[in-house]
Amino acid sequence: MYTIDDIQIFVTTHNRASLLKETLQSILAQTVPIKNITVLDNESTDNTAEIVFQLKDRGVHYVHTTGFLGNFKKAQELVSRPYCMLFHDDDLLHPAYLENALKALNAYPNIALITTTHSAFANNSVPQMPSQVAPSHIFFTSPQKWAQYIYFCEGVSYAPAIYKSKALKESSLEYEKFNKFNDWPLLAKMALHGNVVYFTDKHFMYMRQHQGQDSNSLNFPTIQQIVNWDKLFYELMGANNPHLLLHYLYAWHNKHFLFGKLNIGKKLDDKHYTLAALTAYCKKENLPTWNFNTKPFKWLFLPFLKHLERSFLSQITNTWPIK
C-alpha cells in the first residue's frame, strides 16, 4: 500500500520568492502530513533561499541547481521514491489533492501519471478554496485515448503531475524540439509507461496568472517546432483516428503545419478534408455549422470539443473505485 512517503515532492523555482512561500504553504496544508519538500532553485538572484530557510523546521529543504533545465535534471538525479511531483513555484494546491492521489495509487494498477484540471486566478486575487472537492476522475489505460483527451479536451495541468519515478528518469522535456510547449508532450508520453488517472474537479489545483509566467513570454516556437508538436500528437492519437478531422481544422486556422502541409485540402489517409467536407461532417454529427468567412472560428471549434469530449468519455472505461 502506498503512503505519502512514496511520493517525493519537489518545487521548482527561479526568482519567484514573492510567490514561493504561498505555494509551499499550500503543499504543507495537505490533509496527509507532508514531512519533506525539496525546493529546486535554478540560479535565483532574489531571496528564494531565505524564504525556504524560514520553513526549514517544517521539512522544506533547499537545493541550488545550475544550467538550462537544471531543476528538471536535478529532480531526475535526486528522485529515489516510487513516485514524485514537480510542482511549480507560483501555483496552489487544494489541501485534498495528495490524499486523493494516494487513493488513486492504491486503487488502480500500474499508474504512470496522476494529474488534474485546474482553476485560474489573477495574481492579486487568491481564491477561497472550497472545503470539499469531488474525487471524480477518468482512468486511462490507452496512450491513444490519453493523447486524444489532452489534444481535444484541453485543461490538463502540468504543475501538479505525479509521475512514476522510473518513467520520469527515462524522459526529457525536449525543449529544443517543442520549445516552451514541451509540457503536454511529456504528459502524453507518460501513458506509454503505464496507466493515467485524471481528476476532473477544477478546484484541485489553482494556476496563478501573472506577467512573469513563461506562457506569457515572447518565446514562441518556430514553424519546425510546431510541426514537431503536431506530428507527435498525430502519431500518439493514432493515424487512422476519424476525429483527426478536427486536427485539420485546428491546423488550418492556426497555421500549424502538420507534416509541413500548408492547408487542410491536402490528401491524407485517402481523404480530402475541405470546408465542404467539414460542414457535411458537422451536419452528420448534429453540430452547429457556420460560414467560415463570416463567423468566429471558435464558434465551430468549441462545439467540436464538446462533441469529442462526450465521444471520448463514452469510450473510456471508468470503474470509479475512489470514494
Side-chain angles (χ1 to χ4, degrees):
M1 180 175 179
Y2 290 107
T3 70
I4 192 61
D5 292 332
D6 294 309
I7 303 177
Q8 201 160 350
I9 301 173
F10 297 100
V11 176
T12 60
T13 190
H14 172 72
N15 282 340
R16 288 192 182 143
S18 62
L19 304 176
L20 179 60
K21 189 171 184 178
E22 194 170 25
T23 293
L24 291 171
Q25 288 173 334
S26 79
I27 301 175
L28 291 168
Q30 293 296 297
T31 53
V32 287
I34 306 299
K35 303 174 184 176
N36 192 294
I37 300 173
T38 301
V39 175
L40 302 175
D41 177 21
N42 190 230
E43 303 185 36
S44 291
T45 56
D46 59 11
N47 62 326
T48 291
E50 178 185 337
I51 295 297
V52 176
F53 184 75
Q54 292 174 9
L55 297 170
K56 184 177 180 180
D57 62 344
R58 299 194 63 186
V60 183
H61 305 282
Y62 178 87
V63 174
H64 179 73
T65 74
T66 60
F68 185 61
L69 300 179
N71 286 340
F72 184 83
K73 294 174 182 177
K74 180 60 70 172
Q76 289 178 308
E77 175 189 329
L78 294 178
V79 66
S80 58
R81 302 180 193 178
Y83 289 89
C84 62
M85 178 173 71
L86 279 64
F87 200 65
H88 293 179
D89 55 5
D90 52 353
D91 298 323
L92 303 174
L93 269 184
H94 187 279
Y97 178 67
L98 288 174
E99 177 186 342
N100 280 273
L102 279 172
K103 289 180 180 178
L105 283 176
N106 289 309
Y108 290 112
N110 191 29
I111 296 297
L113 175 70
I114 297 174
T115 191
T116 179
T117 186
H118 62 267
S119 296
F121 69 97
N123 188 25
N124 297 320
S125 304
V126 179
Q128 180 68 41
M129 296 185 185
S131 59
Q132 300 290 326
V133 284
S136 54
H137 59 282
I138 307 171
F139 179 53
F140 292 90
T141 59
S142 162
Q144 183 182 82
K145 289 288 191 296
W146 174 233
Q148 289 172 5
Y149 193 90
I150 292 177
Y151 192 90
F152 292 128
C153 299
E154 301 184 330
V156 177
S157 300
Y158 181 42
I162 296 173
Y163 306 92
K164 180 187 291 185
S165 297
K166 184 177 184 296
L168 187 74
K169 280 180 172 287
E170 297 173 357
S171 303
S172 64
L173 287 181
E174 299 183 283
Y175 200 95
E176 292 184 0
K177 189 172 184 179
F178 303 115
N179 203 298
K180 65 182 180 182
F181 298 117
N182 56 71
D183 49 355
W184 280 6
L186 176 67
L187 295 179
K189 289 192 289 184
M190 278 293 130
L192 300 174
H193 297 271
N195 301 321
V196 175
V197 172
Y198 176 69
F199 289 101
T200 56
D201 190 319
K202 66 179 182 179
H203 299 296
F204 270 119
M205 204 280 285
Y206 290 78
M207 182 178 68
R208 188 188 303 265
Q209 295 182 326
H210 58 99
Q211 289 302 312
Q213 62 193 146
D214 193 33
S215 57
N216 288 329
S217 74
L218 297 178
N219 181 29
F220 294 112
T222 65
I223 289 177
Q224 184 57 55
Q225 287 169 331
I226 292 173
V227 171
N228 295 340
W229 198 91
D230 269 346
K231 182 178 179 182
L232 171 73
F233 273 93
Y234 177 85
E235 293 171 346
L236 289 176
M237 289 190 295
N240 296 318
N241 173 18
H243 291 128
L244 283 180
L245 176 59
L246 179 62
H247 193 134
Y248 275 82
L249 176 64
Y250 185 75
W252 171 79
H253 179 74
N254 293 288
K255 297 180 174 59
H256 283 206
F257 293 75
L258 178 63
F259 284 128
K261 297 177 175 61
L262 303 184
N263 61 69
I264 65 168
K266 294 293 184 180
K267 185 176 182 181
L268 186 67
D269 296 335
D270 298 322
K271 295 180 181 178
H272 290 272
Y273 293 131
T274 63
L275 296 184
L278 175 62
T279 301
Y281 186 83
C282 287
K283 291 180 178 178
K284 178 182 176 183
E285 300 292 341
N286 295 318
L287 297 170
T289 58
W290 290 275
N291 186 328
F292 274 48
N293 296 320
T294 59
K295 296 291 184 180
F297 167 81
K298 67 179 182 180
W299 288 16
L300 181 59
F301 183 61
L302 292 179
F304 253 112
L305 289 181
K306 292 298 181 183
H307 163 67
L308 289 164
E309 184 172 9
R310 289 192 298 270
S311 175
F312 295 154
L313 293 178
S314 69
Q315 298 174 43
I316 295 166
T317 301
N318 294 289
T319 52
W320 305 99
I322 302 175
K323 300 190 184 296

